[in-house]
Amino acid sequence: MPTRVVDTSNSPYAKLRPVPVEEVELKDGFWAKRLNKLREATIPSQYELLENTGRIYNFRRAAGKEKGDFQGLVFNDSDVYKWVEAAGFLLASRFDEKLYSLVEKVVDDICAAQDEDGYLNTFFTFENKAKRWSNLARDHELYCAGHLIQAAIALRRAIGDQKLFNAAVCFANHILRVFGPDGKPGAPGHPEIEMAMVELYRETGDHRYLSMAKKFIDNRGRGIAGGDVNRIDHKPFKELDEIVGHAVRSLYLNCGATDLYMETGDKEVWSVLERLWNNMVKCKMYVTGGVGSRYDGEAFGFNYELPNAQAYAETCAAIASFMWNWRMFLASGDAKFVDVMELALYNGVLAGISLDGKEYFYVNPLADRGRHRRRKWFECACCPPNVARLVASLPGYFYSLSEEGIWVNMYDENTARLRFKDNIVRMVQKTNYPWDGRVEIALSLEHELDFSMYLRIPGWSGDTEASLNGLKISEEIKPGSYFKLSRSWNDGDRIELSFQMGVRKTSCNPLVYENLGRMALSRGPLVYCLESVDNTGFDVWDLLIPEDAVLQAEWAPNLLDGVMVIRGEGYVADSDWGQDSLYRALNPAKARKTGFLAIPYYAWANREPGPMSVWIRSTPRLDSPMQRQGDSSS
Amino acid sequence: MPTRVVDTSNSPYAKLRPVPVEEVELKDGFWAKRLNKLREATIPSQYELLENTGRIYNFRRAAGKEKGDFQGLVFNDSDVYKWVEAAGFLLASRFDEKLYSLVEKVVDDICAAQDEDGYLNTFFTFENKAKRWSNLARDHELYCAGHLIQAAIALRRAIGDQKLFNAAVCFANHILRVFGPDGKPGAPGHPEIEMAMVELYRETGDHRYLSMAKKFIDNRGRGIAGGDVNRIDHKPFKELDEIVGHAVRSLYLNCGATDLYMETGDKEVWSVLERLWNNMVKCKMYVTGGVGSRYDGEAFGFNYELPNAQAYAETCAAIASFMWNWRMFLASGDAKFVDVMELALYNGVLAGISLDGKEYFYVNPLADRGRHRRRKWFECACCPPNVARLVASLPGYFYSLSEEGIWVNMYDENTARLRFKDNIVRMVQKTNYPWDGRVEIALSLEHELDFSMYLRIPGWSGDTEASLNGLKISEEIKPGSYFKLSRSWNDGDRIELSFQMGVRKTSCNPLVYENLGRMALSRGPLVYCLESVDNTGFDVWDLLIPEDAVLQAEWAPNLLDGVMVIRGEGYVADSDWGQDSLYRALNPAKARKTGFLAIPYYAWANREPGPMSVWIRSTPRLDSPMQRQGDSSS
């Protein structure tokens, strides 16, 4: 039962199919550490929190096993489902009796809360039973149902679970009766059900679920889901021309629509998706891959509205972007989507969880004064279990398969056992990625085999070198593409890649006023930031770096669980502002030289609080000495 | 019947009382031009628009004189009232038969729409009659009533009108019956009624109106006005600790509370007002005096949330700030409030109307790409008649009176005929302010008189000189204060002031991340901006000015009806970005020198569209040559 995250094995309009989670083992590398932390710290602590905040109790209460009031927010069931999904992926990677028992217990609690007619939502029981399906715009019933279905599919694929899966199918069938061909019109205020229904179709082959997903998408823009921009209900899906509204809702809807496209091949849907993607990536995405810049409505802003200190950039939105880009990639095989996935993963998503795996960001600013700190939990706790299920599923994204061969999407120390056309192809990736750009991929084959290897060349790697069995490949290797190596492969064949890991200075389109005259530092897939704890003696917000400054990367084994830092020299003009005025006469300052140290953005806010900044002021080379005399003005 | 804008003549806790509009004549100066434009272009064209958009028709319809549907938005009556108020102030300044007839006609239409019980709102008639007072949070009935009362008081003071005044009193009495001591609890979603009720108390001496205002303010924070931050109903007024929510609503509420304070002396109210004022001025006000930085909710943002390109800064909010600061000044005599009034007036407010007096900004960004243009009207047309009534009332703010003497608050060519303790004191101000810092004030007196002259020294004038009858005054003259000259004054006494009119470079508190490494240019009360039409060959967003650059002011008689421009030299590193990507590798650029020209912010967007910016990138002096070698990074 292969645990594919999105199973496009039989999707007629998908270019690629994913490799099951259990076929790839991340070992001793960057993500292996994270997965261990997830298994040892995150998943157990989240379970405790789900219990302590009444989220699992709500199921027992609904089943009549406990007495009391419903606890928390109307969509709290979904947090439990996401945790189960995360646990499913972990069990797929490595079975673990203790975790399995815990999951079984939670599944029992969930299933006991289901009504005889299949309905399952712990808020809409007892006194609230009459309100079922009465307010699709706000009540998140279809959203929770979608997460139940996703969790059940993951668990079935991972460990052959049938209990939660049956519950999910029962609820899905209930939804078909309510909203299906003969049912009432439906569209959720918070999308999620769409991709779940398509996946359930993939899992069962039952076309009714696919039709249901299509109907939910087709029903948008008719006021059923609230009629407003924030619920992406202001227009029919096919008329969307700009990515707007609540970022997670918008992106989950796009996930569902991409899934629908892969099954139906509706070109109009694809062209909407491309339009929205271009708008997001060219006008509305942070350099960290974060999206949804606006606090109000947790929404996409106007084009080029990308404030730094006031960035919203919800962790779930970066996750949703990752999920959508994964689907866009499966549909097309275009490397540009994986570039965005990787950017979001290493920066916008990973910043959402602390190094110890127990604290979370909901909001991810790109500049801060030290007040924004990760928290153990939230009343609206969508982000923590969403990070958990994404990280748990990571082994499933490293490779994918097409008719022509094997695609290597991401790089990290791993071993894989892939099934390609009834053959077993074993891969061993040796690398210290993302700290080092060298990757060695060794193939083990039972017999010689013709196929192509598609190696992703990250968009940021300007000058990649590759060799095959020690011989340098002379063909042009284009950044932001898949480099195709077609041959008859033999056991022991060895590919070496070397991505350019120089420190990169990134500038921003000057239409983003906030970033004018600023640069961001990156290295490999990682975006860097300055944190005050590493930069004493000046305020990191004040630093000015000459555009042509020399920057050095340096391995710091004892810092932040081991990170590559960036060092350089800049200038600081000290200011003595307090909080007592907004404006004052400029006092031309003399800037002094200072060294600085930058750390990966994902690792910020894991030490003592203080100012942080991603976009650093920079200055071009001036073609004549600046005027130094303060001549009197008229 | 003196046309005081806020009549504190008998307010026990007011330090000052205003001078009637008709006692000051603005002549041939900066504002006289504006008043002429208002009289000749703005008021007639707004009348046409009020008719053409159904706003006056709505009154005839409500009176049964015309058939058809209500037109426009629920609060459209208020636009008509604000226009009447503006016309009232103009008539006070100079009677004009044609305008008078027009006003009479509009007043007749308004009054005919009133119900026998005093109720007057054209939306809540016929089919909507049953909804009266049913949704205080959203329906703007009390807001419209407040504007009716303000208009009626202005018209009565200006021309002795009794008809509209009686209608307003009737409606006010209706409101007392509904919400008064024995009535139901009331608080409006959009404040405005509070200051109107206090003013009606001042006009009539009837304490019931004062009590009504107090009750409306005391009722806040109980959910009656919607219960949300945006309606400033999240907390009782006295518990407000930060200025938040919809900017105009918040500031109108503060106006009402300040009016209440001046009548009751409630120190707790005053301390709330000071707290909110400090928060606004120290954390939430643009350098233009604009406020309400956030699009969503037309609201105040977080502290230091002051984006430039995405600034909201509604014209009405700058007006509301002017109105509130006027009241705070009357209460206290503190010059800091007049500094904010002047800043808002010459920049945030004045930018709201085109040079030809016929087009308006609702939103006032501090940086733009050329797409934001003034419009002839808006569906929600609060700003145009609000600008009109403020500019029309301007003569009323130049002077005020205390027990001790005469206060000169603002400067412009004018003659005044003030009544001070049964004496007539004539003043002639000769000045080319705000272009020139020299002001001559000549006094005409019927006989020698002991009193003090309080001369406002703007906060921005660092080195003011003053003389009396040609003799330099040697006392220290502090910026941001009233300079007091006490003596026995004689006919022909002459005061000369000379404010420092150098070009000022302003820096912003570095907690506003968007303005870090930027400067704004000002001169006198005017904030400047760069507009592309004056700066060919480079993008004004890209300009970089050394902090110690020399800047020159220069009179440009044919530009924008005559403005002082600022010239200087900066650097530009040309960029060739299009709209096709957000980020790219920084290409260290060599910046070339270029001259630039800045114009007053109020005059922007009156010529061909293009990029505009207030905050200009600046660079400090570096203490050693910048590194020029592009050494390889690791």
Side-chain angles (χ1 to χ4, degrees), chain B residues 49-62:
Chain B
L49 284 157
L50 291 171
E51 270 292 5
N52 296 344
T53 58
R55 281 167 167 83
I56 305 180
Y57 148 90
N58 282 339
F59 286 97
R60 292 193 293 270
R61 169 185 174 271

Side-chain angles (χ1 to χ4, degrees), chain A residues 285 509 548 583 591 621 627, chain B residues 285 548 582-583 591 621 627:
Chain A
M285 186 177 76
N509 190 314
D548 52 6
Y583 309 107
R621 197 190 303 179
Q627 285 166 295
Chain B
M285 185 177 77
D548 52 5
L582 260 179
Y583 308 107
R621 197 189 302 177
Q627 285 167 297

Side-chain angles (χ1 to χ4, degrees), chain A residues 282 285 287 505 507 509 513 547-548 551 578 580-584 586 589 591 613 615 621 623 627 633-634, chain B residues 282 285 287 505 507 509 513 547-548 551 553 578 581-584 586 589 591 613 615 621 623 627 633:
Chain A
K282 292 178 183 177
M285 186 177 76
V287 71
K505 298 168 186 160
S507 61
N509 190 314
Y513 190 89
E547 286 187 350
D548 52 6
L551 303 171
D580 214 47
S581 65
L582 259 179
Y583 309 107
R584 70 178 183 197
L586 183 141
S613 182
W615 286 98
R621 197 190 303 179
D623 70 352
Q627 285 166 295
S633 57
S634 79
Chain B
K282 293 178 184 176
M285 185 177 77
V287 71
K505 297 167 187 161
S507 60
N509 190 313
Y513 189 89
E547 287 187 351
D548 52 5
L551 303 171
S581 65
L582 260 179
Y583 308 107
R584 71 178 184 198
L586 182 142
S613 183
W615 286 98
R621 197 189 302 177
D623 70 352
Q627 285 167 297
S633 58

Side-chain angles (χ1 to χ4, degrees), chain A residues 268-574:
Chain A
E268 231 184 305
V269 168
W270 182 253
S271 83
V272 173
L273 292 166
E274 280 195 311
R275 199 154 69 213
L276 299 177
W277 189 87
N278 277 314
N279 181 231
M280 178 176 90
V281 168
K282 292 178 183 177
C283 302
K284 301 192 178 186
M285 186 177 76
Y286 283 103
V287 71
T288 56
V291 288
S293 64
R294 194 182 279 178
Y295 264 78
D296 294 83
E298 311 189 302
F300 285 103
F302 300 121
N303 287 347
Y304 310 110
E305 179 183 343
L306 293 167
N308 291 306
Q310 266 87 42
Y312 196 70
E314 185 185 340
T315 304
C316 279
I319 293 169
S321 173
F322 181 99
M323 289 165 61
W324 180 34
N325 276 286
W326 177 236
R327 286 162 173 81
M328 293 294 279
F329 169 66
L330 293 176
S332 67
D334 194 329
K336 69 184 180 186
F337 299 116
V338 189
D339 273 347
V340 177
M341 286 171 65
E342 192 183 54
L343 181 72
L345 177 65
Y346 279 93
N347 303 285
V349 173
L350 191 53
I353 183 165
S354 63
L355 291 180
D356 72 2
K358 291 183 176 178
E359 295 191 342
Y360 310 91
F361 273 146
Y362 192 112
V363 167
N364 293 279
L366 277 76
D368 186 56
R369 297 303 299 169
R371 262 168 300 187
H372 189 71
R373 306 301 291 175
R374 290 189 190 79
R375 288 166 52 188
K376 293 204 181 304
W377 199 244
F378 307 90
E379 188 191 6
C380 169
C382 49
C383 299
N386 220 0
V387 174
R389 68 175 184 148
L390 177 61
V391 174
S393 69
L394 273 186
Y397 304 98
F398 277 74
Y399 300 91
S400 47
L401 301 169
S402 68
E403 279 306 297
E404 295 77 24
I406 297 172
W407 298 56
V408 188
N409 307 319
M410 300 208 294
Y411 301 97
D412 195 359
E413 190 87 357
N414 73 68
T415 59
R417 185 174 172 282
L418 312 177
R419 281 161 225 271
F420 178 68
K421 297 193 175 170
D422 301 326
N423 302 285
I424 299 292
V425 181
R426 288 172 199 271
M427 302 259 183
V428 179
Q429 270 193 41
K430 293 242 166 257
T431 180
N432 194 22
Y433 192 94
W435 308 121
D436 191 288
R438 285 164 299 175
V439 180
E440 184 192 290
I441 302 172
L443 284 74
S444 304
L445 291 160
E446 284 156 5
H447 51 82
E448 185 172 344
L449 192 63
D450 273 355
F451 64 93
S452 297
M453 285 284 288
Y454 295 83
L455 304 160
R456 175 174 157 260
I457 312 302
W460 46 261
S461 178
D463 195 16
T464 305
E465 293 188 355
S467 66
L468 177 61
N469 296 327
L471 292 172
K472 190 177 167 184
I473 293 167
S474 60
E475 280 174 75
E476 195 201 358
I477 298 176
K478 286 204 328 208
S481 73
Y482 276 80
F483 181 70
K484 183 175 173 181
L485 267 181
S486 306
R487 70 195 301 257
S488 203
W489 295 90
N490 287 297
D491 188 47
D493 276 349
R494 194 164 42 83
I495 301 163
E496 283 169 312
L497 293 166
S498 182
F499 302 121
Q500 201 185 44
M501 279 286 168
V503 176
R504 301 193 313 281
K505 298 168 186 160
T506 299
S507 61
C508 183
N509 190 314
L511 294 171
V512 181
Y513 190 89
E514 287 81 358
N515 293 342
L516 255 166
R518 291 179 178 272
M519 64 165 80
L521 304 180
S522 304
R523 188 173 176 281
L526 298 171
V527 174
Y528 279 69
C529 69
L530 266 68
E531 229 184 355
S532 62
V533 58
D534 304 307
N535 295 279
T536 48
F538 66 96
D539 187 324
V540 300
W541 279 29
D542 291 343
L543 187 71
L544 183 71
I545 310 185
E547 286 187 350
D548 52 6
V550 178
L551 303 171
Q552 307 281 351
E554 182 183 303
W555 179 245
N558 300 316
L559 191 67
L560 298 161
D561 295 350
V563 290
M564 195 73 80
V565 299
I566 295 174
R567 287 187 187 276
E569 275 193 336
Y571 293 85
V572 176
D574 295 305

Side-chain angles (χ1 to χ4, degrees), chain B residues 253-415:
Chain B
L253 177 62
N254 293 349
C255 286
T258 313
D259 279 328
L260 182 68
Y261 166 77
M262 290 192 280
E263 304 307 324
T264 65
D266 184 337
K267 287 207 176 73
E268 231 185 305
V269 168
W270 181 253
S271 83
V272 173
L273 292 166
E274 280 194 311
R275 198 156 67 214
L276 298 177
W277 189 89
N278 277 313
N279 180 231
M280 179 175 90
V281 168
K282 293 178 184 176
C283 302
K284 301 193 178 185
M285 185 177 77
Y286 283 104
V287 71
T288 57
V291 287
S293 63
R294 194 182 279 177
Y295 263 78
D296 295 82
E298 311 189 303
F300 284 103
F302 300 121
N303 286 347
Y304 311 109
E305 178 182 342
L306 293 166
N308 291 305
Q310 266 87 42
Y312 195 71
E314 184 184 341
T315 303
C316 279
I319 292 169
S321 173
F322 182 98
M323 291 164 60
W324 180 35
N325 277 285
W326 178 235
R327 287 162 173 80
M328 294 294 278
F329 169 66
L330 293 176
S332 67
D334 194 329
K336 70 183 180 185
F337 300 116
V338 189
D339 274 347
V340 176
M341 285 172 64
E342 192 182 57
L343 180 73
L345 178 64
Y346 279 93
N347 304 285
V349 173
L350 192 53
I353 183 166
S354 62
L355 290 180
D356 72 2
K358 292 181 175 178
E359 294 190 340
Y360 310 91
F361 275 146
Y362 193 112
V363 166
N364 293 279
L366 277 76
D368 186 57
R369 296 305 298 169
R371 262 168 300 188
H372 189 70
R373 306 302 288 175
R374 289 190 191 79
R375 287 166 52 188
K376 293 203 181 303
W377 200 244
F378 306 91
E379 187 190 6
C380 168
C382 49
C383 300
N386 220 0
V387 175
R389 69 176 184 146
L390 177 61
V391 174
S393 69
L394 273 188
Y397 304 97
F398 277 74
Y399 300 92
S400 46
L401 301 169
S402 69
E403 279 306 296
E404 295 77 25
I406 298 172
W407 298 57
V408 189
N409 307 319
M410 300 207 297
Y411 301 97
D412 194 0
E413 191 87 357
N414 72 69
T415 59

